Amino acid sequence: MPIVFTLPSNPSREIHLREATVADAIDFTGIDPDFEEEATTLFLNKLQERNTFYDSREWTGEDRRFALFQYYLNTSQYDTIPLTFTYNGERQTQLIPLTKILDTYKVLDGKPVRDFAFNGHNVLVAPLRGYELEHLEKQYAEVRAWQAMLDDPKRQIDDKERRKIQKTVRLKRAAVLMSRVIAYLDIPGLDPNSTREGRRAKVREFVEALPMRDLNDLVQRTGECLKEMEHGLLSQYEDGKVSLIIPDIVPEGAGEDDKLTLSYPFRFIDVIPTLW
């Protein structure tokens, strides 16, 4: 039976997924868990029915996470997930119904783009898409690899090398932060005859030439646009990873008005079947 849903960024776009076979699971077993977005693209593109195929690299990150959740919802033998958290200094685990996560779903209001005037240009803001998330994921992986050198207790590092690695980590963190800001943006006036992707280098030059005060303004206004375009399941994107947000959890021993908001690291490995 196909798994049918519409994209939260575009409710007119209907997607049909089939359930993975054993042969698919064998292919998915080779997926590197550090590259979740690449795995998501492979999974969603491979399992889509051809007559409604739409390259998942073009979907928003929220579309992609919703698709994974829909697949899990339709194929899992469980209707709850266990979440462990701390309340009043004590750890407890609750079984959270999948329907509670689904209750956070919302359709994007309007088109998946907003614009505003900035320094003589019309700036377009759009949610991150699959191919942008794949690129950022590689940059975040680089940062984690360099940081792991510092954190590895078995690695002998003298002070000079440690300072050198720390500098590299700082520079790479700055680079991925800048790449993330730029990935949301397009400024057609910089090259009207090109495409969004073709203007990427010019957008970077424009942003990197800004005074810091202007950059802060640009980031704030971009965030406001993204807030307007919230869609899909309630989630957050940090350090290259997406977590689902689940509000209104009442801990054991708490009153009805004492509620928590929990973060659920919904990883592709929880969804994509493998043979290990």
Side-chain angles (χ1 to χ4, degrees), residues 100-252:
K100 190 169 186 64
I101 298 175
L102 200 57
D103 284 345
T104 69
Y105 174 83
K106 66 186 294 187
V107 173
L108 193 148
D109 184 12
K111 294 183 178 181
V113 64
R114 296 291 186 272
D115 69 311
F116 57 86
F118 180 82
N119 286 18
H121 289 279
N122 187 43
V123 175
L124 305 183
V125 178
L128 295 177
R129 290 165 290 181
Y131 64 86
E132 293 159 336
L133 288 164
E134 287 185 20
H135 176 70
L136 287 170
E137 181 175 62
K138 292 182 175 66
Q139 288 188 275
Y140 278 113
E142 271 194 75
V143 173
R144 288 193 295 271
W146 280 93
Q147 185 64 50
M149 294 183 193
L150 293 174
D151 298 338
D152 185 356
K154 297 180 182 178
R155 186 183 179 91
Q156 299 298 316
I157 304 176
D158 60 31
D159 288 345
K160 182 178 180 181
E161 185 181 5
R162 179 171 295 278
R163 286 193 296 271
K164 183 178 179 180
I165 294 175
Q166 288 172 335
K167 178 180 178 181
T168 299
V169 170
R170 289 194 298 271
L171 288 173
K172 287 189 176 294
R173 285 192 185 280
V176 70
L177 176 60
M178 187 56 58
S179 291
R180 180 173 170 180
V181 170
I182 292 167
Y184 290 117
L185 306 177
D186 185 24
I187 308 177
L190 295 177
D191 190 352
N193 297 319
S194 188
T195 63
R196 177 186 177 95
E197 287 68 43
R199 284 187 290 267
R200 188 70 68 194
K202 291 185 181 295
V203 173
R204 179 177 289 275
E205 290 176 8
F206 175 85
V207 173
E208 291 183 351
L210 292 173
M212 280 302 299
R213 181 184 300 179
D214 286 0
L215 175 63
N216 292 335
D217 183 36
L218 178 65
V219 169
Q220 179 180 342
R221 297 176 72 178
T222 298
E224 291 168 356
C225 290
L226 294 172
K227 183 71 175 176
E228 287 181 18
M229 293 185 287
E230 285 183 346
H231 61 288
L233 302 173
L234 191 60
S235 63
Q236 64 182 9
Y237 179 65
E238 290 184 343
D239 293 331
K241 300 294 182 183
V242 177
S243 295
L244 299 182
I245 304 301
I246 311 173
D248 299 329
I249 302 299
V250 180
E252 294 178 11

Side-chain angles (χ1 to χ4, degrees), residues 16-30:
H16 294 239
L17 299 179
R18 61 175 175 82
E19 189 167 352
T21 64
V22 173
D24 293 324
I26 293 172
D27 288 343
F28 297 146
T29 300

Side-chain angles (χ1 to χ4, degrees), residues 3-17 36-37 40-41 43-44 56 59-75 98-108 128 133 230-236 242-245 264 266-268 271:
I3 299 162
V4 182
F5 56 92
T6 58
L7 298 182
S9 72
N10 182 4
S12 67
R13 175 74 73 168
E14 190 172 84
I15 302 297
H16 294 239
L17 299 179
E36 186 167 354
E37 295 299 339
T40 298
T41 297
F43 179 76
L44 293 176
S56 62
W59 306 9
T60 70
E62 291 85 349
D63 290 337
R64 290 155 63 88
R65 218 53 47 185
F66 180 66
L68 290 181
F69 189 78
Q70 279 291 328
Y71 185 88
Y72 184 79
L73 195 64
N74 282 274
T75 60
L98 296 178
T99 52
K100 190 169 186 64
I101 298 175
L102 200 57
D103 284 345
T104 69
Y105 174 83
K106 66 186 294 187
V107 173
L108 193 148
L128 295 177
L133 288 164
E230 285 183 346
H231 61 288
L233 302 173
L234 191 60
S235 63
Q236 64 182 9
V242 177
S243 295
L244 299 182
I245 304 301
Y264 171 38
F266 183 61
R267 302 276 76 91
F268 82 93
V271 180

